[in-house]
Amino acid sequence: MQRRSFAAAALGAAAVPVLMAAAPASAQAPDQGGYDLDRLRREMTPVLSQELDDPATARTLVPWIADIGFDWHPPTAPVAELDFIVAYSFGNRPPAGGGDPTKVLYEPGPVNEALADTVAGVRARRHVPVYAQWEIASFLTSKYRMTDVTAIEPQIAADGTITYLSTAGVAAQVLAERKQAPGGIGTAGVVGFRDHVKRCVETTRLLGMTSAYAPRGITMPGTYDPQSGQAWTRRRELYLPYDMLAQWEMHYEELLTQYYPNG
């Protein structure tokens, strides 16, 4: 396998997210007529095997490289099969009145309003409970007057210091709520920003809600907010590496547990 051949395949696959940036993003498996991830994996393996001089390690790493770097679509399920919705926020806006951001809540911002609009679209198809980060929940209750919404709030210490929850922190709180549900945890419909939603589904499953999917046919918001209070959520070329690092950390922990289950 020549490196030039692999590079051509990699560039072709890498171009897909860029070309799709101008089009609405849908939580559905893409039409892969223009690229072939299986072929990309096959072509990656001998190149990395040669580079590392270690075929076994290459075979372990290549599926993750392909998944993290070249596949940004989550698994999906029909809305009719969802038992509840969990919605993860993306970015925010600095406090409108200024002040210490560690003790004054950030503003939810336009991206989280768009995520609330998406949740409302799912609820219009199927009335199920909603668990949403507070930034999204604030719009669900004020804009849509939606009921059966559980807001996942940041942690506020006795001195007023605010700690915002990570994606995993939100999933852990939702899991605790769902464990009390009469019918058990059930199937989660995950709503998240276009470039975040795949990791949201993976994290939801990892934290114990193993039946989790993006709602099939639902378009996820994909416009970045250049005024976001989180620098990595202002631009796509900043966010994608951030998300890939987070995915690598998840896979690393998985591999570590596989090889050393007892620590």
Side-chain angles (χ1 to χ4, degrees), residues 98-110:
D100 182 354
T102 66
K103 295 190 177 182
V104 180
L105 281 176
Y106 276 73
E107 300 291 325

Side-chain angles (χ1 to χ4, degrees), residues 5-129:
S5 174
F6 164 71
L11 286 172
V16 173
V18 177
L19 293 172
M20 292 177 64
S26 179
Q28 293 177 286
D31 176 1
Q32 294 188 2
Y35 66 104
D36 185 341
L37 282 176
D38 287 335
R39 177 186 172 190
L40 180 62
R41 293 184 188 99
R42 291 194 300 271
E43 296 195 351
M44 279 182 179
T45 302
V47 174
L48 190 59
S49 295
Q50 180 179 335
E51 186 68 26
L52 299 177
D53 191 23
D54 186 349
T57 297
R59 286 192 296 271
T60 297
L61 295 181
V62 161
W64 290 357
I65 293 171
D67 176 66
I68 292 170
F70 296 94
D71 185 359
W72 291 87
H73 289 78
T76 66
V79 172
E81 296 179 6
L82 307 179
D83 296 310
F84 64 101
I85 298 167
V86 52
Y88 294 90
S89 67
F90 191 85
N92 50 44
R93 284 282 180 90
D100 182 354
T102 66
K103 295 190 177 182
V104 180
L105 281 176
Y106 276 73
E107 300 291 325
V111 176
N112 289 307
E113 182 173 7
L115 286 164
D117 296 341
T118 304
V119 172
V122 179
R123 267 281 289 261
R125 298 190 187 190
R126 182 169 173 80
H127 190 99
V128 292

Side-chain angles (χ1 to χ4, degrees), residues 26-257:
S26 179
Q28 293 177 286
D31 176 1
Q32 294 188 2
Y35 66 104
D36 185 341
L37 282 176
D38 287 335
R39 177 186 172 190
L40 180 62
R41 293 184 188 99
R42 291 194 300 271
E43 296 195 351
M44 279 182 179
T45 302
V47 174
L48 190 59
S49 295
Q50 180 179 335
E51 186 68 26
L52 299 177
D53 191 23
D54 186 349
T57 297
R59 286 192 296 271
T60 297
L61 295 181
V62 161
W64 290 357
I65 293 171
D67 176 66
I68 292 170
F70 296 94
D71 185 359
W72 291 87
H73 289 78
T76 66
V79 172
E81 296 179 6
L82 307 179
D83 296 310
F84 64 101
I85 298 167
V86 52
Y88 294 90
S89 67
F90 191 85
N92 50 44
R93 284 282 180 90
D100 182 354
T102 66
K103 295 190 177 182
V104 180
L105 281 176
Y106 276 73
E107 300 291 325
V111 176
N112 289 307
E113 182 173 7
L115 286 164
D117 296 341
T118 304
V119 172
V122 179
R123 267 281 289 261
R125 298 190 187 190
R126 182 169 173 80
H127 190 99
V128 292
V130 174
Y131 303 84
Q133 272 187 271
W134 70 274
E135 297 96 329
I136 300 171
S138 66
F139 289 110
L140 294 176
T141 55
S142 65
K143 183 176 180 178
Y144 290 99
R145 300 288 188 262
M146 190 178 290
T147 59
D148 207 2
V149 175
T150 300
I152 307 301
E153 304 282 353
Q155 298 172 343
I156 302 179
D159 65 355
T161 301
I162 301 169
T163 301
Y164 293 92
L165 295 176
S166 64
T167 303
V170 173
Q173 288 207 17
V174 174
L175 175 63
E177 294 278 349
R178 289 304 300 176
K179 283 182 175 179
Q180 309 304 316
I185 294 173
T187 297
V190 178
V191 171
F193 190 74
R194 171 184 56 193
D195 294 329
H196 184 210
V197 67
K198 176 193 166 189
R199 182 161 62 90
C200 289
V201 171
E202 290 178 345
T203 303
T204 302
R205 292 179 172 187
L206 185 65
L207 266 291
M209 293 169 280
T210 54
S211 182
Y213 303 88
R216 187 168 300 160
I218 297 296
T219 298
M220 298 294 165
T223 300
Y224 283 80
D225 177 14
Q227 299 180 52
S228 175
Q230 298 173 325
W232 60 93
T233 62
R234 295 173 191 162
R235 302 178 64 91
R236 199 175 199 196
E237 59 267 38
L238 286 177
Y239 181 72
L240 294 185
Y242 175 91
D243 195 279
M244 285 189 277
L245 284 171
Q247 290 185 62
W248 271 117
E249 183 176 359
M250 292 166 61
H251 282 302
Y252 169 76
E253 292 297 333
E254 178 184 338
L255 192 62
L256 191 64
T257 301

